[in-house]
Amino acid sequence: MTATQPSRLTSPSREQDSGTHGYFSKLAQERPDIAMCRATTLVARTIDEELSGHRLTVAQHLVLKMLDDVGPCSQQELSEQLRIDRSVMVGCIDGLEDSGLVRRERHPRDRRAYAVTLTPEAGPALAEAEGGVPRLLDRAFGALTAAERRTLARLVGKILEVN
């Protein structure tokens, strides 16, 4: 791909002028699975661009946010609640621990388990990450009105069985 050639995955709304104009629009209407995959790719790229230069990954941001909201949790609880694969969660927590943002301590309710706990340094890192969320949402969902964003969140929640 050269600098003058657009990426095929840059945006679902950008259709190629190769005689198939409108094909993706038709496909997306017929196949919501395909549309969701492409939309997810677009949102993931936007998140990656927004986070470049910051010291947190999306998973790490979510872990800090959950710990801030609910208090110390086991890695298993974090993995289940945030729907992050357990093997990915280990690396996520290791990275946060190496950065000094969390520590593992004996779980207060189960002495056999460990709880992940925020350190004082986590507050500023979380505040910085949270500060970028409105810009991220505007970039990822700028084509939608506020009402459409709420509808999208409700529908995706229904798919994920969280509503």
Side-chain angles (χ1 to χ4, degrees):
M1 176 170 31
T2 67
T4 59
Q5 293 175 316
S7 169
R8 290 184 191 173
L9 292 178
T10 55
S11 173
S13 62
R14 293 187 187 146
E15 296 159 3
Q16 306 295 315
D17 291 328
S18 60
T20 58
H21 184 77
Y23 179 76
F24 186 81
S25 295
K26 180 179 181 284
L27 181 63
Q29 289 175 0
E30 294 172 356
R31 296 280 311 270
D33 57 325
I34 300 297
M36 287 290 290
C37 285
R38 294 300 172 251
T40 300
T41 299
L42 184 64
V43 171
R45 285 186 180 165
T46 301
I47 291 169
D48 289 344
E49 289 169 9
E50 281 295 321
L51 289 177
S52 66
H54 294 284
R55 60 183 192 170
L56 294 177
T57 66
V58 173
Q60 290 172 333
H61 176 195
L62 292 176
V63 166
L64 293 182
K65 184 167 177 48
M66 181 172 166
L67 293 173
D68 189 56
D69 288 344
V70 303
C73 296
S74 70
Q75 284 183 199
Q76 182 176 346
E77 291 171 304
L78 289 164
S79 180
E80 289 170 3
Q81 289 296 315
L82 296 173
R83 298 182 182 193
I84 296 172
D85 187 82
R86 293 171 82 175
S87 63
V88 173
M89 183 59 71
V90 170
C92 176
I93 299 300
D94 287 347
L96 287 168
E97 193 171 40
D98 292 345
S99 298
L101 300 176
V102 302
R103 64 180 170 268
R104 291 175 172 106
E105 300 175 333
R106 287 285 178 193
H107 199 291
R109 295 181 303 273
D110 182 355
R111 300 301 291 162
R112 296 169 292 157
Y114 284 89
V116 180
T117 307
L118 293 176
T119 65
E121 293 79 17
L126 180 58
E128 180 184 343
E130 288 291 294
V133 169
R135 182 178 57 250
L136 166 68
L137 294 175
D138 284 343
R139 283 190 61 203
F141 303 106
L144 304 178
T145 66
E148 289 169 331
R149 289 181 191 191
R150 287 190 299 274
T151 299
L152 176 64
R154 182 180 55 76
L155 292 172
V156 171
K158 191 172 182 178
I159 292 168
L160 296 173
E161 298 177 351
V162 295
N163 291 10

